Each structure stands twice: as C-alpha cells, then as structure tokens.
Amino acid sequence: MKKIVFATNNAHKLEELRQIMAGKFEILSLNDINCHEDIPETANTIKGNAEMKARYVMRHYGYDCFSDDTGLEIDALDGAPGVHSARYGGVAHDSERNIDRVLREMKDVPMEQRTARFRTVIALIESEEDDCTEFPLRFEKIRFFDGRVEGVILTERHGEGGFGYDSIFQPVEGDGRTFAQMLPEEKNAISHRGRAVRKLVDYLQSM
Ligand code: IMP
C-alpha cells in the first residue's frame, strides 16, 4: 500500500483520515517520521499555512506529504476566528478556551444570525523527476484541495465526541445534532475535512 505523510500529530485528525483512506493508503504521522518540532504556521490564510507545513516536511524530511489547515468562519464575528481558530482563546490548541471566547462574543447574537462554516484546505506536495532533460531534474509540485460545511453556532456545548469547536457547531445538512454528537463516519460524510480529503483521494487514485 502506498505510504504518504500527513503533516500532523493531532490524534483526532489522524483517526479521521485513516478511516477515510482505509485500505487505500497508509498514513504516516509526523511522529512516525521522527519530526517532533513545531512546524511554523505563520501565514495569514489557511491555504498559506497548509502550504507552509507541506513544504517544511518536504524540505527537512524529504517525504511526499499533505497537510491540512482549517478555519471556522463565523459571520457575526466578521469571519473570526478564521485563520486564528487554533488559538482564539489565547492558548494554542486549548479548545475549551476557544469555545468560551466564541460563546462570550456571541452571547447577544440571535439564532438566525449565528451562521458559520468550517473551511479546510489541503496542500499536497510531491517530488517529481523531469525525465525530458538529459540530466534529470527533481522539482516539487504542489496541489490544493478544499472542502467546506455550513452550519450554525449553538449557544452552549452539546456532545462529547469530536474535537475543537465540534460541540457548538450544528451542520445545516444534519438532523440537529452537533458534530460532537455524531459518529466519526457521520461527521466525515459531510465535514469540511471529509470533503477535502475525498478530493485528495480521488486525485491520488487517478495517478
Ligand atoms: P488546524 O490548524 O487545521 O489544526 O485547525 C485550527 C483549529 O480549528 C483547531 O485547533 C481546532 O480548534 C479547529 N478545528 C479544526 N478542525 C476541526 C473540526 O473538524 N472540528 C472542530 N474544530 C476543528
């Protein structure tokens, strides 16, 4: 089975991705390739951050790899937290604080104005050889795949599953449950990342 690096150590994301790609590709994490440092994510768009992470792994570890970046865009907060979704509450990857800040800032926003969406961009970087020249040249090719899901931000948490903002995000395509109340496969079927990953898988399988 073809191996591909997913530039993350987020156990939830790895599990989601391994489920979607089961039987098709073997996913290696950053731990699996002994990459333990924090990869810079200083771009001001989610696409820029996805590209930055994928290029870093290629440059420093030499693997073909894909990387994702996700932002939650809340209309009543002018698109925030957006590219700052991971550290909106002030501490990186502290989901409870992130949710607390969102709920605090939205406490007076009526239900019909609580629209939001998750957006994911996946950057795939591959090293290819140009065999048309007398002296083969290696070059990097980057491709992007995106996905999004529309929903509303509830006024309190519901559900124990998932991660990040899942417990306050109710997708419009669902049956009223939040992502945190769904089984992983139910979330993957309609989620931002599920959609982007399926585009990635279609591309990889067409190769
Ligand atoms: P990341 O940079 O792709 O890890 O995403 C930034 C932040 O968005 C994460 O720290 C999470 O708080 C949040 N996030 C990403 N994906 C999801 C998801 O599927 N559900 C809920 N929150 C998410």
Side-chain angles (χ1 to χ4, degrees), residues 13 16 41 53 68-70 85-86 93 95 98 118 163-166 187 192-193:
K13 286 189 186 178
E16 284 185 6
E41 289 183 54
K53 286 186 274 186
D68 79 322
D69 204 60
T70 295
S85 294
H93 305 297
S95 297
N98 291 341
F118 279 113
F163 70 104
Y165 299 90
D166 277 349
K187 176 184 169 187
H192 45 304
R193 195 161 28 259

mmCIF file with all atom_site columns, all heavy atoms in Angstrom, residues 13 16 41 53 68-70 85-86 93 95 98 118 163-166 187 192-193, ligand 1:
data_model
loop_
_atom_site.group_PDB
_atom_site.id
_atom_site.type_symbol
_atom_site.label_atom_id
_atom_site.label_alt_id
_atom_site.label_comp_id
_atom_site.label_asym_id
_atom_site.label_entity_id
_atom_site.label_seq_id
_atom_site.pdbx_PDB_ins_code
_atom_site.Cartn_x
_atom_site.Cartn_y
_atom_site.Cartn_z
_atom_site.occupancy
_atom_site.B_iso_or_equiv
_atom_site.pdbx_formal_charge
_atom_site.auth_seq_id
_atom_site.auth_comp_id
_atom_site.auth_asym_id
_atom_site.auth_atom_id
_atom_site.pdbx_PDB_model_num
ATOM   1   N N   . LYS A 1 13  ? -7.452  14.027 14.051 1.00 0.00 ? 13  LYS A N   1
ATOM   2   C CA  . LYS A 1 13  ? -7.373  14.161 12.588 1.00 0.00 ? 13  LYS A CA  1
ATOM   3   C C   . LYS A 1 13  ? -6.812  12.894 11.952 1.00 0.00 ? 13  LYS A C   1
ATOM   4   O O   . LYS A 1 13  ? -7.295  12.449 10.922 1.00 0.00 ? 13  LYS A O   1
ATOM   5   C CB  . LYS A 1 13  ? -6.458  15.327 12.218 1.00 0.00 ? 13  LYS A CB  1
ATOM   6   C CG  . LYS A 1 13  ? -7.051  16.693 12.442 1.00 0.00 ? 13  LYS A CG  1
ATOM   7   C CD  . LYS A 1 13  ? -6.113  17.688 11.812 1.00 0.00 ? 13  LYS A CD  1
ATOM   8   C CE  . LYS A 1 13  ? -6.507  19.110 12.091 1.00 0.00 ? 13  LYS A CE  1
ATOM   9   N NZ  . LYS A 1 13  ? -5.536  20.036 11.497 1.00 0.00 ? 13  LYS A NZ  1
ATOM   10  N N   . GLU A 1 16  ? -9.509  10.352 11.819 1.00 0.00 ? 16  GLU A N   1
ATOM   11  C CA  . GLU A 1 16  ? -10.478 10.674 10.758 1.00 0.00 ? 16  GLU A CA  1
ATOM   12  C C   . GLU A 1 16  ? -9.909  10.301 9.385  1.00 0.00 ? 16  GLU A C   1
ATOM   13  O O   . GLU A 1 16  ? -10.570 9.694  8.564  1.00 0.00 ? 16  GLU A O   1
ATOM   14  C CB  . GLU A 1 16  ? -10.804 12.174 10.767 1.00 0.00 ? 16  GLU A CB  1
ATOM   15  C CG  . GLU A 1 16  ? -11.747 12.608 11.873 1.00 0.00 ? 16  GLU A CG  1
ATOM   16  C CD  . GLU A 1 16  ? -12.141 14.085 11.774 1.00 0.00 ? 16  GLU A CD  1
ATOM   17  O OE1 . GLU A 1 16  ? -11.775 14.773 10.791 1.00 0.00 ? 16  GLU A OE1 1
ATOM   18  O OE2 . GLU A 1 16  ? -12.814 14.549 12.684 1.00 0.00 ? 16  GLU A OE2 1
ATOM   19  N N   . GLU A 1 41  ? 3.518   28.012 11.354 1.00 0.00 ? 41  GLU A N   1
ATOM   20  C CA  . GLU A 1 41  ? 2.221   28.244 10.679 1.00 0.00 ? 41  GLU A CA  1
ATOM   21  C C   . GLU A 1 41  ? 1.937   29.728 10.786 1.00 0.00 ? 41  GLU A C   1
ATOM   22  O O   . GLU A 1 41  ? 1.050   30.135 11.518 1.00 0.00 ? 41  GLU A O   1
ATOM   23  C CB  . GLU A 1 41  ? 1.087   27.494 11.395 1.00 0.00 ? 41  GLU A CB  1
ATOM   24  C CG  . GLU A 1 41  ? 1.115   26.004 11.251 1.00 0.00 ? 41  GLU A CG  1
ATOM   25  C CD  . GLU A 1 41  ? -0.089  25.352 11.932 1.00 0.00 ? 41  GLU A CD  1
ATOM   26  O OE1 . GLU A 1 41  ? -1.242  25.736 11.636 1.00 0.00 ? 41  GLU A OE1 1
ATOM   27  O OE2 . GLU A 1 41  ? 0.143   24.473 12.773 1.00 0.00 ? 41  GLU A OE2 1
ATOM   28  N N   . LYS A 1 53  ? 3.293   24.143 5.853  1.00 0.00 ? 53  LYS A N   1
ATOM   29  C CA  . LYS A 1 53  ? 3.570   22.890 6.571  1.00 0.00 ? 53  LYS A CA  1
ATOM   30  C C   . LYS A 1 53  ? 4.041   21.802 5.600  1.00 0.00 ? 53  LYS A C   1
ATOM   31  O O   . LYS A 1 53  ? 4.989   21.074 5.887  1.00 0.00 ? 53  LYS A O   1
ATOM   32  C CB  . LYS A 1 53  ? 2.318   22.410 7.315  1.00 0.00 ? 53  LYS A CB  1
ATOM   33  C CG  . LYS A 1 53  ? 2.016   23.238 8.564  1.00 0.00 ? 53  LYS A CG  1
ATOM   34  C CD  . LYS A 1 53  ? 0.857   22.658 9.357  1.00 0.00 ? 53  LYS A CD  1
ATOM   35  C CE  . LYS A 1 53  ? -0.476  23.168 8.848  1.00 0.00 ? 53  LYS A CE  1
ATOM   36  N NZ  . LYS A 1 53  ? -1.619  22.738 9.675  1.00 0.00 ? 53  LYS A NZ  1
ATOM   37  N N   . ASP A 1 68  ? -3.055  19.785 6.222  1.00 0.00 ? 68  ASP A N   1
ATOM   38  C CA  . ASP A 1 68  ? -4.336  20.494 6.147  1.00 0.00 ? 68  ASP A CA  1
ATOM   39  C C   . ASP A 1 68  ? -4.345  21.663 7.109  1.00 0.00 ? 68  ASP A C   1
ATOM   40  O O   . ASP A 1 68  ? -3.618  21.681 8.096  1.00 0.00 ? 68  ASP A O   1
ATOM   41  C CB  . ASP A 1 68  ? -5.506  19.560 6.467  1.00 0.00 ? 68  ASP A CB  1
ATOM   42  C CG  . ASP A 1 68  ? -5.669  19.339 7.953  1.00 0.00 ? 68  ASP A CG  1
ATOM   43  O OD1 . ASP A 1 68  ? -4.648  19.234 8.656  1.00 0.00 ? 68  ASP A OD1 1
ATOM   44  O OD2 . ASP A 1 68  ? -6.810  19.284 8.416  1.00 0.00 ? 68  ASP A OD2 1
ATOM   45  N N   . ASP A 1 69  ? -5.151  22.631 6.780  1.00 0.00 ? 69  ASP A N   1
ATOM   46  C CA  . ASP A 1 69  ? -5.383  23.705 7.726  1.00 0.00 ? 69  ASP A CA  1
ATOM   47  C C   . ASP A 1 69  ? -6.865  24.044 7.664  1.00 0.00 ? 69  ASP A C   1
ATOM   48  O O   . ASP A 1 69  ? -7.466  24.023 6.588  1.00 0.00 ? 69  ASP A O   1
ATOM   49  C CB  . ASP A 1 69  ? -4.532  24.929 7.393  1.00 0.00 ? 69  ASP A CB  1
ATOM   50  C CG  . ASP A 1 69  ? -4.314  25.775 8.640  1.00 0.00 ? 69  ASP A CG  1
ATOM   51  O OD1 . ASP A 1 69  ? -3.738  25.271 9.610  1.00 0.00 ? 69  ASP A OD1 1
ATOM   52  O OD2 . ASP A 1 69  ? -4.772  26.932 8.663  1.00 0.00 ? 69  ASP A OD2 1
ATOM   53  N N   . THR A 1 70  ? -7.431  24.301 8.815  1.00 0.00 ? 70  THR A N   1
ATOM   54  C CA  . THR A 1 70  ? -8.874  24.526 8.903  1.00 0.00 ? 70  THR A CA  1
ATOM   55  C C   . THR A 1 70  ? -9.152  25.812 9.644  1.00 0.00 ? 70  THR A C   1
ATOM   56  O O   . THR A 1 70  ? -8.450  26.156 10.598 1.00 0.00 ? 70  THR A O   1
ATOM   57  C CB  . THR A 1 70  ? -9.532  23.346 9.662  1.00 0.00 ? 70  THR A CB  1
ATOM   58  O OG1 . THR A 1 70  ? -9.374  22.162 8.895  1.00 0.00 ? 70  THR A OG1 1
ATOM   59  C CG2 . THR A 1 70  ? -11.018 23.595 9.896  1.00 0.00 ? 70  THR A CG2 1
ATOM   60  N N   . SER A 1 85  ? -8.139  30.134 14.364 1.00 0.00 ? 85  SER A N   1
ATOM   61  C CA  . SER A 1 85  ? -9.026  29.204 15.076 1.00 0.00 ? 85  SER A CA  1
ATOM   62  C C   . SER A 1 85  ? -8.323  28.414 16.180 1.00 0.00 ? 85  SER A C   1
ATOM   63  O O   . SER A 1 85  ? -8.915  28.141 17.228 1.00 0.00 ? 85  SER A O   1
ATOM   64  C CB  . SER A 1 85  ? -9.671  28.221 14.089 1.00 0.00 ? 85  SER A CB  1
ATOM   65  O OG  . SER A 1 85  ? -10.534 28.917 13.219 1.00 0.00 ? 85  SER A OG  1
ATOM   66  N N   . ALA A 1 86  ? -7.066  28.042 15.968 1.00 0.00 ? 86  ALA A N   1
ATOM   67  C CA  . ALA A 1 86  ? -6.383  27.185 16.956 1.00 0.00 ? 86  ALA A CA  1
ATOM   68  C C   . ALA A 1 86  ? -6.103  27.916 18.265 1.00 0.00 ? 86  ALA A C   1
ATOM   69  O O   . ALA A 1 86  ? -6.029  27.294 19.317 1.00 0.00 ? 86  ALA A O   1
ATOM   70  C CB  . ALA A 1 86  ? -5.075  26.650 16.370 1.00 0.00 ? 86  ALA A CB  1
ATOM   71  N N   . HIS A 1 93  ? -4.343  25.567 20.764 1.00 0.00 ? 93  HIS A N   1
ATOM   72  C CA  . HIS A 1 93  ? -4.988  24.248 20.828 1.00 0.00 ? 93  HIS A CA  1
ATOM   73  C C   . HIS A 1 93  ? -5.749  24.003 22.132 1.00 0.00 ? 93  HIS A C   1
ATOM   74  O O   . HIS A 1 93  ? -5.956  22.854 22.519 1.00 0.00 ? 93  HIS A O   1
ATOM   75  C CB  . HIS A 1 93  ? -3.969  23.126 20.588 1.00 0.00 ? 93  HIS A CB  1
ATOM   76  C CG  . HIS A 1 93  ? -3.221  23.311 19.299 1.00 0.00 ? 93  HIS A CG  1
ATOM   77  N ND1 . HIS A 1 93  ? -3.850  23.302 18.076 1.00 0.00 ? 93  HIS A ND1 1
ATOM   78  C CD2 . HIS A 1 93  ? -1.914  23.576 19.054 1.00 0.00 ? 93  HIS A CD2 1
ATOM   79  C CE1 . HIS A 1 93  ? -2.952  23.522 17.131 1.00 0.00 ? 93  HIS A CE1 1
ATOM   80  N NE2 . HIS A 1 93  ? -1.769  23.710 17.701 1.00 0.00 ? 93  HIS A NE2 1
ATOM   81  N N   . SER A 1 95  ? -9.105  23.989 23.236 1.00 0.00 ? 95  SER A N   1
ATOM   82  C CA  . SER A 1 95  ? -10.449 24.090 22.651 1.00 0.00 ? 95  SER A CA  1
ATOM   83  C C   . SER A 1 95  ? -11.462 24.677 23.615 1.00 0.00 ? 95  SER A C   1
ATOM   84  O O   . SER A 1 95  ? -12.390 25.385 23.193 1.00 0.00 ? 95  SER A O   1
ATOM   85  C CB  . SER A 1 95  ? -10.944 22.703 22.220 1.00 0.00 ? 95  SER A CB  1
ATOM   86  O OG  . SER A 1 95  ? -10.112 22.202 21.224 1.00 0.00 ? 95  SER A OG  1
ATOM   87  N N   . ASN A 1 98  ? -11.105 28.341 23.517 1.00 0.00 ? 98  ASN A N   1
ATOM   88  C CA  . ASN A 1 98  ? -11.556 28.841 22.207 1.00 0.00 ? 98  ASN A CA  1
ATOM   89  C C   . ASN A 1 98  ? -13.080 28.943 22.176 1.00 0.00 ? 98  ASN A C   1
ATOM   90  O O   . ASN A 1 98  ? -13.648 29.951 21.751 1.00 0.00 ? 98  ASN A O   1
ATOM   91  C CB  . ASN A 1 98  ? -11.094 27.898 21.092 1.00 0.00 ? 98  ASN A CB  1
ATOM   92  C CG  . ASN A 1 98  ? -9.596  27.927 20.877 1.00 0.00 ? 98  ASN A CG  1
ATOM   93  O OD1 . ASN A 1 98  ? -8.925  28.873 21.284 1.00 0.00 ? 98  ASN A OD1 1
ATOM   94  N ND2 . ASN A 1 98  ? -9.072  26.909 20.227 1.00 0.00 ? 98  ASN A ND2 1
ATOM   95  N N   . PHE A 1 118 ? -17.041 25.770 8.462  1.00 0.00 ? 118 PHE A N   1
ATOM   96  C CA  . PHE A 1 118 ? -15.659 25.306 8.538  1.00 0.00 ? 118 PHE A CA  1
ATOM   97  C C   . PHE A 1 118 ? -15.127 25.237 7.119  1.00 0.00 ? 118 PHE A C   1
ATOM   98  O O   . PHE A 1 118 ? -15.813 24.752 6.218  1.00 0.00 ? 118 PHE A O   1
ATOM   99  C CB  . PHE A 1 118 ? -15.576 23.876 9.115  1.00 0.00 ? 118 PHE A CB  1
ATOM   100 C CG  . PHE A 1 118 ? -15.648 23.796 10.605 1.00 0.00 ? 118 PHE A CG  1
ATOM   101 C CD1 . PHE A 1 118 ? -16.747 23.215 11.230 1.00 0.00 ? 118 PHE A CD1 1
ATOM   102 C CD2 . PHE A 1 118 ? -14.598 24.258 11.391 1.00 0.00 ? 118 PHE A CD2 1
ATOM   103 C CE1 . PHE A 1 118 ? -16.802 23.107 12.607 1.00 0.00 ? 118 PHE A CE1 1
ATOM   104 C CE2 . PHE A 1 118 ? -14.644 24.145 12.770 1.00 0.00 ? 118 PHE A CE2 1
ATOM   105 C CZ  . PHE A 1 118 ? -15.752 23.581 13.376 1.00 0.00 ? 118 PHE A CZ  1
ATOM   106 N N   . PHE A 1 163 ? -13.690 17.063 18.332 1.00 0.00 ? 163 PHE A N   1
ATOM   107 C CA  . PHE A 1 163 ? -12.650 17.889 18.944 1.00 0.00 ? 163 PHE A CA  1
ATOM   108 C C   . PHE A 1 163 ? -12.885 19.334 18.531 1.00 0.00 ? 163 PHE A C   1
ATOM   109 O O   . PHE A 1 163 ? -13.829 19.649 17.803 1.00 0.00 ? 163 PHE A O   1
ATOM   110 C CB  . PHE A 1 163 ? -11.249 17.408 18.524 1.00 0.00 ? 163 PHE A CB  1
ATOM   111 C CG  . PHE A 1 163 ? -10.913 17.682 17.079 1.00 0.00 ? 163 PHE A CG  1
ATOM   112 C CD1 . PHE A 1 163 ? -10.055 18.723 16.738 1.00 0.00 ? 163 PHE A CD1 1
ATOM   113 C CD2 . PHE A 1 163 ? -11.446 16.916 16.066 1.00 0.00 ? 163 PHE A CD2 1
ATOM   114 C CE1 . PHE A 1 163 ? -9.741  18.981 15.407 1.00 0.00 ? 163 PHE A CE1 1
ATOM   115 C CE2 . PHE A 1 163 ? -11.148 17.164 14.733 1.00 0.00 ? 163 PHE A CE2 1
ATOM   116 C CZ  . PHE A 1 163 ? -10.294 18.199 14.409 1.00 0.00 ? 163 PHE A CZ  1
ATOM   117 N N   . GLY A 1 164 ? -11.997 20.212 19.002 1.00 0.00 ? 164 GLY A N   1
ATOM   118 C CA  . GLY A 1 164 ? -12.070 21.621 18.613 1.00 0.00 ? 164 GLY A CA  1
ATOM   119 C C   . GLY A 1 164 ? -13.441 22.218 18.907 1.00 0.00 ? 164 GLY A C   1
ATOM   120 O O   . GLY A 1 164 ? -13.968 22.088 20.014 1.00 0.00 ? 164 GLY A O   1
ATOM   121 N N   . TYR A 1 165 ? -14.034 22.845 17.905 1.00 0.00 ? 165 TYR A N   1
ATOM   122 C CA  . TYR A 1 165 ? -15.319 23.534 18.064 1.00 0.00 ? 165 TYR A CA  1
ATOM   123 C C   . TYR A 1 165 ? -16.521 22.621 17.805 1.00 0.00 ? 165 TYR A C   1
ATOM   124 O O   . TYR A 1 165 ? -17.651 23.103 17.709 1.00 0.00 ? 165 TYR A O   1
ATOM   125 C CB  . TYR A 1 165 ? -15.390 24.718 17.094 1.00 0.00 ? 165 TYR A CB  1
ATOM   126 C CG  . TYR A 1 165 ? -14.321 25.774 17.303 1.00 0.00 ? 165 TYR A CG  1
ATOM   127 C CD1 . TYR A 1 165 ? -13.089 25.707 16.651 1.00 0.00 ? 165 TYR A CD1 1
ATOM   128 C CD2 . TYR A 1 165 ? -14.544 26.859 18.156 1.00 0.00 ? 165 TYR A CD2 1
ATOM   129 C CE1 . TYR A 1 165 ? -12.111 26.677 16.838 1.00 0.00 ? 165 TYR A CE1 1
ATOM   130 C CE2 . TYR A 1 165 ? -13.567 27.835 18.343 1.00 0.00 ? 165 TYR A CE2 1
ATOM   131 C CZ  . TYR A 1 165 ? -12.358 27.741 17.679 1.00 0.00 ? 165 TYR A CZ  1
ATOM   132 O OH  . TYR A 1 165 ? -11.391 28.703 17.871 1.00 0.00 ? 165 TYR A OH  1
ATOM   133 N N   . ASP A 1 166 ? -16.307 21.318 17.680 1.00 0.00 ? 166 ASP A N   1
ATOM   134 C CA  . ASP A 1 166 ? -17.390 20.400 17.278 1.00 0.00 ? 166 ASP A CA  1
ATOM   135 C C   . ASP A 1 166 ? -18.638 20.504 18.147 1.00 0.00 ? 166 ASP A C   1
ATOM   136 O O   . ASP A 1 166 ? -19.751 20.359 17.648 1.00 0.00 ? 166 ASP A O   1
ATOM   137 C CB  . ASP A 1 166 ? -16.893 18.940 17.311 1.00 0.00 ? 166 ASP A CB  1
ATOM   138 C CG  . ASP A 1 166 ? -16.156 18.556 16.036 1.00 0.00 ? 166 ASP A CG  1
ATOM   139 O OD1 . ASP A 1 166 ? -16.204 19.328 15.057 1.00 0.00 ? 166 ASP A OD1 1
ATOM   140 O OD2 . ASP A 1 166 ? -15.533 17.482 16.026 1.00 0.00 ? 166 ASP A OD2 1
ATOM   141 N N   . LYS A 1 187 ? -19.817 12.348 10.781 1.00 0.00 ? 187 LYS A N   1
ATOM   142 C CA  . LYS A 1 187 ? -19.157 13.654 10.607 1.00 0.00 ? 187 LYS A CA  1
ATOM   143 C C   . LYS A 1 187 ? -18.350 13.666 9.307  1.00 0.00 ? 187 LYS A C   1
ATOM   144 O O   . LYS A 1 187 ? -18.452 14.603 8.512  1.00 0.00 ? 187 LYS A O   1
ATOM   145 C CB  . LYS A 1 187 ? -18.243 13.951 11.815 1.00 0.00 ? 187 LYS A CB  1
ATOM   146 C CG  . LYS A 1 187 ? -17.470 15.249 11.648 1.00 0.00 ? 187 LYS A CG  1
ATOM   147 C CD  . LYS A 1 187 ? -16.481 15.523 12.778 1.00 0.00 ? 187 LYS A CD  1
ATOM   148 C CE  . LYS A 1 187 ? -15.574 16.694 12.400 1.00 0.00 ? 187 LYS A CE  1
ATOM   149 N NZ  . LYS A 1 187 ? -14.494 16.935 13.354 1.00 0.00 ? 187 LYS A NZ  1
ATOM   150 N N   . HIS A 1 192 ? -16.114 19.459 6.327  1.00 0.00 ? 192 HIS A N   1
ATOM   151 C CA  . HIS A 1 192 ? -15.101 20.197 5.573  1.00 0.00 ? 192 HIS A CA  1
ATOM   152 C C   . HIS A 1 192 ? -13.908 19.312 5.235  1.00 0.00 ? 192 HIS A C   1
ATOM   153 O O   . HIS A 1 192 ? -13.495 19.184 4.097  1.00 0.00 ? 192 HIS A O   1
ATOM   154 C CB  . HIS A 1 192 ? -14.662 21.394 6.431  1.00 0.00 ? 192 HIS A CB  1
ATOM   155 C CG  . HIS A 1 192 ? -14.411 21.037 7.880  1.00 0.00 ? 192 HIS A CG  1
ATOM   156 N ND1 . HIS A 1 192 ? -15.367 20.446 8.668  1.00 0.00 ? 192 HIS A ND1 1
ATOM   157 C CD2 . HIS A 1 192 ? -13.309 21.128 8.658  1.00 0.00 ? 192 HIS A CD2 1
ATOM   158 C CE1 . HIS A 1 192 ? -14.871 20.207 9.860  1.00 0.00 ? 192 HIS A CE1 1
ATOM   159 N NE2 . HIS A 1 192 ? -13.614 20.614 9.880  1.00 0.00 ? 192 HIS A NE2 1
ATOM   160 N N   . ARG A 1 193 ? -13.331 18.657 6.270  1.00 0.00 ? 193 ARG A N   1
ATOM   161 C CA  . ARG A 1 193 ? -12.130 17.867 6.025  1.00 0.00 ? 193 ARG A CA  1
ATOM   162 C C   . ARG A 1 193 ? -12.460 16.616 5.214  1.00 0.00 ? 193 ARG A C   1
ATOM   163 O O   . ARG A 1 193 ? -11.719 16.241 4.311  1.00 0.00 ? 193 ARG A O   1
ATOM   164 C CB  . ARG A 1 193 ? -11.455 17.478 7.348  1.00 0.00 ? 193 ARG A CB  1
ATOM   165 C CG  . ARG A 1 193 ? -10.037 16.976 7.172  1.00 0.00 ? 193 ARG A CG  1
ATOM   166 C CD  . ARG A 1 193 ? -9.192  17.019 8.440  1.00 0.00 ? 193 ARG A CD  1
ATOM   167 N NE  . ARG A 1 193 ? -9.989  16.901 9.627  1.00 0.00 ? 193 ARG A NE  1
ATOM   168 C CZ  . ARG A 1 193 ? -10.347 17.928 10.402 1.00 0.00 ? 193 ARG A CZ  1
ATOM   169 N NH1 . ARG A 1 193 ? -9.925  19.130 10.146 1.00 0.00 ? 193 ARG A NH1 1
ATOM   170 N NH2 . ARG A 1 193 ? -11.118 17.737 11.442 1.00 0.00 ? 193 ARG A NH2 1
HETATM 171 P P1  . IMP B 2 .   ? -5.893  23.269 12.266 1.00 0.00 ? 1   IMP B P1  1
HETATM 172 O O1  . IMP B 2 .   ? -4.901  24.382 12.133 1.00 0.00 ? 1   IMP B O1  1
HETATM 173 O O2  . IMP B 2 .   ? -6.267  22.659 10.981 1.00 0.00 ? 1   IMP B O2  1
HETATM 174 O O3  . IMP B 2 .   ? -5.478  22.292 13.311 1.00 0.00 ? 1   IMP B O3  1
HETATM 175 O O4  . IMP B 2 .   ? -7.250  23.891 12.776 1.00 0.00 ? 1   IMP B O4  1
HETATM 176 C C1  . IMP B 2 .   ? -7.277  25.006 13.618 1.00 0.00 ? 1   IMP B C1  1
HETATM 177 C C2  . IMP B 2 .   ? -8.278  24.818 14.721 1.00 0.00 ? 1   IMP B C2  1
HETATM 178 O O5  . IMP B 2 .   ? -9.576  24.663 14.153 1.00 0.00 ? 1   IMP B O5  1
HETATM 179 C C3  . IMP B 2 .   ? -8.057  23.590 15.587 1.00 0.00 ? 1   IMP B C3  1
HETATM 180 O O6  . IMP B 2 .   ? -7.211  23.861 16.675 1.00 0.00 ? 1   IMP B O6  1
HETATM 181 C C4  . IMP B 2 .   ? -9.457  23.289 16.073 1.00 0.00 ? 1   IMP B C4  1
HETATM 182 O O7  . IMP B 2 .   ? -9.753  24.059 17.202 1.00 0.00 ? 1   IMP B O7  1
HETATM 183 C C5  . IMP B 2 .   ? -10.320 23.762 14.925 1.00 0.00 ? 1   IMP B C5  1
HETATM 184 N N1  . IMP B 2 .   ? -10.753 22.642 14.083 1.00 0.00 ? 1   IMP B N1  1
HETATM 185 C C6  . IMP B 2 .   ? -10.094 22.107 13.025 1.00 0.00 ? 1   IMP B C6  1
HETATM 186 N N2  . IMP B 2 .   ? -10.811 21.095 12.503 1.00 0.00 ? 1   IMP B N2  1
HETATM 187 C C7  . IMP B 2 .   ? -11.933 20.984 13.258 1.00 0.00 ? 1   IMP B C7  1
HETATM 188 C C8  . IMP B 2 .   ? -13.050 20.107 13.224 1.00 0.00 ? 1   IMP B C8  1
HETATM 189 O O8  . IMP B 2 .   ? -13.178 19.187 12.397 1.00 0.00 ? 1   IMP B O8  1
HETATM 190 N N3  . IMP B 2 .   ? -13.986 20.319 14.159 1.00 0.00 ? 1   IMP B N3  1
HETATM 191 C C9  . IMP B 2 .   ? -13.901 21.312 15.095 1.00 0.00 ? 1   IMP B C9  1
HETATM 192 N N4  . IMP B 2 .   ? -12.876 22.134 15.183 1.00 0.00 ? 1   IMP B N4  1
HETATM 193 C C10 . IMP B 2 .   ? -11.888 21.982 14.266 1.00 0.00 ? 1   IMP B C10 1
#
